[in-house]
Amino acid sequence: MISVTRQTTAFAIILLLTTILLCTVRVYINPFDIEVAESEFMPRWWDALLSGLLLFVAAIIINRTTVKIGLFGGFSALPVSVFGFLACGVLVSPNMLTATATALVMTFGILFLLRSMQFVGEKESLFTGALMFGLLPIIYPPAVTFALIVPIAMFIAPLNIRQAIIITTGYLLPLLGASYLNWYLGGEITGLATSIWEHLFIPSATLSLETLPILTFAIVVTIIPLLLYGIMQGIYNRYAMLVPLRKSIQIAIWLLIIGIASLFLVPGCGITIIPTIAAPATIIASFALDKMEGKWANWFYIAIVTLVVIHLVFY
């Protein structure tokens, strides 16, 4: 049996597009209670089409990121399909455009931030990556929690004073620019920052075992050991990896932790953030599958594909 880590681009894209299509059909025909608890789905074809396009681009970007950091021994398009499963194969937010736009910006942020880890003294990619992370709360306010990656990146890199100023400025620039624009148009200079802060505490739909569909729970239970294995491999073998890859895995782990913590601990953070969390989760899951013995990687992947298909088609 051929290892899933040697997945071809064509096969991965077919799986991704199929997942997006099945997901879109399901949520418009028969959304779960936990999905419509935040707001009702708007049956607009252009909304679904644009969301699917954004997810497709995000999957390509996250796959490009794994190639850049040398996640696999050779080329693999595995992250393309994995991202599709994690981003829209579990639960889908009624705010599809917001969810997918936030995920796309996150993938760009990861791409540029991890690229800055590849070269000592890199400034342009560091600034651009921070800028992307700064855009997250403008699109989806609860994603402001990912601001924690700024001091974490300073510690992991580590960054000198000049780079620390660059990454901080890059992150704050979107908020400062949007605040100035709001003030120029007649609003309060602190209006946007206040709105972001208030959105953190506006209760969203609460995830619980009672409201979670059984197959969603089964998919999550299958994915959790995979992510834990990837995290343990990243920690245990950190000194056996090249320095840029080690830093990249550490950044992905922290982003995953921040995202999951936000989902369960921040009142205003709902399932809209799931595609955003899927970006770092894809890196960790793909890393785990690559480190597993071939047959175990294949069985894990087949189990996830099977559960996602049943979840989207038959449930």
Side-chain angles (χ1 to χ4, degrees):
M1 183 181 294
I2 300 176
S3 175
V4 295
T5 57
R6 302 281 78 86
Q7 197 168 113
T8 64
T9 303
F11 182 69
I13 288 178
I14 290 173
L15 285 177
L16 172 66
L17 294 178
T18 302
T19 304
I20 293 174
L21 177 61
L22 292 177
C23 162
T24 304
V25 171
R26 181 192 67 77
V27 296
Y28 280 124
I29 293 178
N30 186 30
F32 297 125
D33 291 340
I34 184 63
E35 293 173 331
V36 297
E38 289 189 12
S39 62
E40 292 292 332
F41 280 96
M42 297 296 292
R44 299 177 297 200
W45 66 267
W46 60 266
D47 189 281
L49 181 63
L50 185 54
S51 297
L53 178 61
L54 294 180
L55 277 177
F56 178 80
V57 175
I60 299 301
I61 294 299
I62 206 68
N63 189 72
R64 179 179 174 82
T65 301
T66 61
V67 173
K68 287 288 185 182
I69 65 177
L71 190 67
F72 305 105
F75 176 81
S76 174
L78 174 66
V80 172
S81 59
V82 172
F83 178 78
F85 301 147
L86 299 182
C88 57
V90 184
L91 290 173
V92 180
S93 169
N95 306 310
M96 293 178 69
L97 270 181
T98 299
T100 53
T102 309
L104 179 61
V105 173
M106 167 64 88
T107 58
F108 274 113
I110 293 175
L111 172 65
F112 286 108
L113 184 60
L114 298 192
R115 180 185 292 175
S116 71
M117 302 287 174
Q118 308 298 306
F119 307 101
V120 177
E122 173 69 30
K123 297 187 290 293
E124 291 80 6
S125 295
L126 184 65
F127 177 80
T128 307
L131 190 71
M132 293 295 107
F133 279 99
L135 284 172
L136 290 177
I138 308 297
I139 303 172
Y140 182 58
V144 70
T145 53
F146 287 105
L148 291 172
I149 201 60
V150 172
I152 291 172
M154 291 182 188
F155 176 77
I156 291 176
L159 304 180
N160 56 37
I161 298 298
R162 182 186 298 271
Q163 290 173 311
I165 294 174
I166 289 172
I167 192 174
T168 304
T169 303
Y171 183 84
L172 293 176
L173 191 59
L175 176 61
L176 295 177
S179 296
Y180 171 77
L181 181 62
N182 184 58
W183 171 79
Y184 181 80
L185 295 175
E188 293 290 335
I189 190 69
T190 59
L192 181 59
T194 301
S195 176
I196 291 174
W197 176 258
E198 291 175 348
H199 271 84
L200 290 175
F201 302 99
I202 298 176
S204 183
T206 303
L207 289 175
S208 66
L209 292 179
E210 290 76 17
T211 59
L212 208 61
I214 185 63
L215 281 175
T216 300
F217 179 75
I219 294 171
V220 172
V221 168
T222 306
I223 292 172
I224 286 177
L226 191 62
L227 295 176
L228 290 176
Y229 181 77
I231 292 172
M232 289 189 295
Q233 284 291 319
I235 295 173
Y236 182 74
N237 294 320
R238 60 187 183 278
Y239 295 118
M241 295 184 284
L242 295 175
V243 174
L245 177 58
R246 180 173 74 230
K247 293 178 180 179
S248 298
I249 293 297
Q250 290 173 345
I251 290 290
I253 290 173
W254 277 109
L255 286 173
L256 178 62
I257 291 172
I258 294 170
I260 293 176
S262 300
L263 180 60
F264 289 99
L265 300 180
V266 178
C269 191
I271 61 175
T272 300
I273 205 171
I274 288 180
T276 305
I277 299 174
T282 296
I283 296 176
I284 301 302
S286 300
F287 178 69
L289 289 171
D290 185 59
K291 293 300 178 183
M292 278 185 181
E293 185 180 345
K295 63 179 182 180
W296 285 108
N298 290 342
W299 282 117
F300 255 107
Y301 186 81
I302 291 171
I304 293 173
V305 172
T306 303
L307 287 172
V308 167
V309 170
I310 296 175
H311 180 58
L312 296 179
V313 177
F314 300 108
Y315 193 78

